[in-house]
Amino acid sequence: MIPQNAMAVMRKDLAEFRRQKLVIGSIIAMPLLLGILIPISLFAPIAMEAPDGPTWDVENLFSTGALDPSWTMPETSSVLEGIETADVALSNTRVDNATIERAVLTGCIVHDTELRNATLDSCALDNVDLYNCIVTNSKGTALDGNAIMSIDSELTFERTRESDLEQLLPTFLNMTLILFIILPVTLPTIIASYSIVGEKNNKSLEPILASPTTDGELLLGKVLSAFVPSIASTLGAVVVGGALVNVFLAQLGEPLLPNLTWILGILVLAPLACIMSILACVIVSSRVTDVRAAQQVGGFIVMPVIVLMFGVLAGVILLTPLAMLAICAAFAAANGGLYYFAKAIFNREDILIRWA
Amino acid sequence: MIICNALTRRYDDITAISDLTLTIEDQEVFGLLGPNGAGKTTTMRMLACLISPTAGDATIGGHSILDRQGQQEIRRITGLLPEAPGLYDTLSAHANLDFYGKLYGMPSSLRERSIKEVLEKFDLWDRRDDAVGTFSKGMRQKVAIARAILHDPTYLFLDEPTAGLDPKASKTVRDYIVSLREEGKTIVINTHNLGEAERICDRVALINGRMIQVGPPENLAKGLFARTLTVTLTEEDPSLAERLGTLPFVASVEASGARLKLAVTDPERTNPQLVRWLVEQGAQVQFIEEEEYSLEDVYLALIEESGRR
């Protein structure tokens, strides 16, 4: 239950923000722009690279593509090893460690090879990357590739490694999530600095402090007035950005958002990160001389999330739901410490005498 | 009733106010006078529970400023007009007052009624929806005063209530302060405007880091200056001044033409003897009047004296 005076402080601040067209404009526009730009810049190139045809559905092939027991290993008459070639027709050939484009392969045994725009019939494949290929009546293990244009029911696959897309997509999704979590960390540095130090500069703190409002209610009101627009704006950006990401994911045939990691990230970690940023701003505000200094020093507040982002990019941190819960717990613990510190320094005497 | 008992506040090694002891009666307009840095605002801030005293105590309406519960009660029954209006420029006069009404826990209907009442009192009702940033200095000050009285406090602390106001607006505020006293409110004013203090304060305290003197403005001169009578004769009599000096109740005589200035100690008792003596001496007396000292004379004399100590 939020105390009435804290709500009054929050509503007053929000009413003030509404009249500060530049402040409110930046709070709404920046996240929305990022919400549009992040998915486009990260996912559009992937979607454009992907072929129009159906993507490789290994699981489905596994369940439906039982190999015909009458199928036998083709007899090979020649060996092709370690070459790069194009526009060839191979029959009864053993191909090893090659890269071949625009080929027709019949009755071939293919190892450790990349095939592009090829048609394969009655072949045995092992550790082969297939891109834009038509494969019929063949057997394959350890296959990879972006698309197989056509297959028949005689074919069976055994997936042993992820495609490029499958390797990239989680990283891109995690990075997008982290970028969305940076928003509620950066946005309140502007609002909190304005709403706390600005109040002092405006000389409007004294009448508030002379009212029955307690220090805790004032602190809570100020935290909420920075929290609400930041989180609202972030959620708006996530809805727009998430919808755009889903457009690309649908195109790639990948599962749509939100997944559990995103739900935890946006609904738990983002608010925690936002509160951490605001509390840090309160602490910074008590130690600096004006709004500009508060905002400048407040820039450092984004550091924990930047570290998180680099950890994700470097592959050191994998944002699984469990990892996300652990990160949330760390942020919650940090917030607890910051809250007690902020509360200790947020008292009317300090604010009136020492604050900027 | 406001009772200050040895109220002291130090900022690091600077003492803003020391050992301030005074009692302000209910329904009194009490002025705190003193030069810049005398500790007036610090005293007001301590009484408004904005800062705590380094030593001493004060009670307002029986609640101690040292007690946490007491502080909350004091905040409910007091209203503060700080040095700067501290209004939210982008918000309307109504929104500014509505915010403070909420902070004081006023229900919506009472809030609306009070806002209308105070804005009408200051002729601002028609401008209630305008942003206060568009208001003149005087109008802003009126809104700030309206904010201080919105929740109908019993005690009011007004720091320079007429600072920066034109004479008409100042008079409106002064008249309003007097009317508040008639409504039963106790008002403490910090002011540099000695004329204003003289006109509206029942009592004033001269402070300069400590209490110098307290009392009704008209009584402060007593004991500070020797009481002076001016005797105006129809014509000059050079020997009369010398003879006047021999009278036991006349401390000194200063002659200037037909006008004589006599320093006396107890004119109420000795004036009949003086008049009789002058008539016996054949003096043609036109007027006898006592010289009056303004609060400004008192203020300057006392502040100068306190500075020498």
Side-chain angles (χ1 to χ4, degrees), chain B residues 177-190:
Chain B
I177 292 169
V178 172
S179 77
L180 287 172
R181 173 180 51 194
E182 282 155 15
E183 287 173 21
K185 302 200 185 306
T186 306
I187 301 150
V188 181
I189 298 175
N190 278 357

Side-chain angles (χ1 to χ4, degrees), chain B:
Chain B
M1 187 184 288
I2 300 172
I3 301 167
C4 299
N5 185 17
L7 208 53
T8 301
R9 173 69 205 204
R10 282 187 284 274
Y11 298 105
D12 299 324
D13 50 356
I14 297 166
T15 302
I17 187 80
S18 174
D19 276 325
L20 183 73
T21 297
L22 61 86
T23 300
I24 300 169
E25 300 293 338
D26 286 342
Q27 297 181 42
E28 189 175 21
V29 179
F30 191 90
L32 283 174
L33 304 180
N36 292 332
K40 303 188 299 291
T41 298
T42 296
T43 302
M44 202 167 259
R45 281 179 162 184
M46 285 192 285
L47 293 177
C49 298
L50 292 172
I51 58 173
S52 53
T54 313
D57 188 12
T59 59
I60 298 172
H63 305 289
S64 168
I65 62 167
L66 299 180
D67 171 49
R68 187 171 283 267
Q69 192 61 38
Q71 289 174 356
Q72 279 303 86
E73 282 307 312
I74 288 169
R75 287 180 190 125
R76 276 179 222 291
I77 59 173
T78 58
L80 172 72
L81 171 74
E83 247 176 320
L87 299 166
Y88 302 104
D89 284 354
T90 55
L91 300 185
S92 67
H94 183 280
N96 267 278
L97 296 180
D98 190 56
F99 168 56
Y100 281 94
K102 284 177 187 164
L103 292 188
Y104 283 93
M106 296 170 75
S108 173
S109 57
L110 174 63
R111 219 161 55 225
E112 282 305 315
R113 205 166 53 241
S114 298
I115 291 171
K116 188 167 192 289
E117 196 179 306
V118 291
L119 286 180
E120 279 179 345
K121 198 161 281 186
F122 287 116
D123 294 326
L124 289 172
W125 179 244
D126 292 341
R127 300 284 308 272
R128 64 188 177 280
D129 293 325
D130 294 347
V132 294
T134 63
F135 285 10
S136 70
K137 198 171 180 181
M139 290 161 77
R140 292 164 61 81
Q141 186 74 347
K142 285 178 181 176
V143 176
I145 295 172
R147 179 187 61 200
I149 59 170
L150 183 71
H151 59 291
D152 194 24
T154 312
Y155 301 90
L156 266 172
F157 300 116
L158 308 177
D159 203 346
E160 301 284 353
T162 58
L165 299 187
D166 62 43
K168 186 168 177 277
S170 296
K171 186 175 183 314
T172 306
V173 170
R174 277 198 300 272
D175 291 347
Y176 187 59
I177 292 169
V178 172
S179 77
L180 287 172
R181 173 180 51 194
E182 282 155 15
E183 287 173 21
K185 302 200 185 306
T186 306
I187 301 150
V188 181
I189 298 175
N190 278 357
T191 184
H192 287 297
N193 187 334
L194 302 175
E196 178 176 284
E198 206 160 16
R199 262 176 280 177
I200 64 172
C201 291
D202 299 308
R203 288 191 304 146
V204 295
L206 291 182
I207 61 171
N208 194 8
R210 60 190 168 76
M211 172 71 83
I212 298 170
Q213 195 151 345
V214 64
E218 64 275 14
N219 287 359
L220 287 183
K222 286 178 184 170
L224 180 66
F225 301 107
R227 297 178 72 178
T228 307
L229 296 175
T230 303
V231 179
T232 309
L233 305 174
T234 53
E235 56 189 48
E236 190 177 344
D237 183 353
S239 65
L240 189 65
E242 203 175 314
R243 278 177 283 145
L244 267 170
T246 63
L247 293 174
F249 51 82
V250 176
S252 65
V253 182
E254 193 184 308
S256 172
R259 189 169 290 182
L260 303 167
K261 280 196 172 185
L262 283 64
V264 293
T265 50
D266 189 3
E268 284 82 2
R269 193 177 58 80
T270 58
N271 270 2
Q273 295 175 53
L274 175 68
V275 172
R276 205 164 39 242
W277 184 87
L278 285 168
V279 171
E280 282 169 7
Q281 298 297 313
Q284 299 294 311
V285 179
Q286 253 183 346
F287 307 108
I288 297 183
E289 56 200 344
E290 184 174 2
E291 195 164 304
E292 287 187 357
Y293 293 94
S294 69
L295 186 59
E296 188 175 354
D297 297 324
V298 176
Y299 175 90
L300 291 173
L302 287 173
I303 294 301
E304 193 182 332
E305 190 184 324
S306 74
R308 279 199 300 267
R309 281 182 197 166

Side-chain angles (χ1 to χ4, degrees), chain A residues 30-61:
Chain A
M30 188 179 91
L32 275 180
L33 274 174
L34 284 174
I36 294 167
L37 290 177
I38 292 169
I40 289 176
S41 58
L42 288 180
F43 292 93
I46 300 175
M48 281 191 287
E49 280 291 314
D52 292 334
T55 52
W56 188 3
D57 185 353
V58 173
E59 302 302 327
N60 192 38
L61 287 170

Side-chain angles (χ1 to χ4, degrees), chain A residues 91-108:
Chain A
S91 181
N92 299 329
T93 305
R94 186 180 182 90
V95 180
D96 205 355
N97 196 21
T99 304
I100 302 172
E101 260 195 88
R102 296 182 300 279
V104 177
L105 280 73
T106 311
C108 296

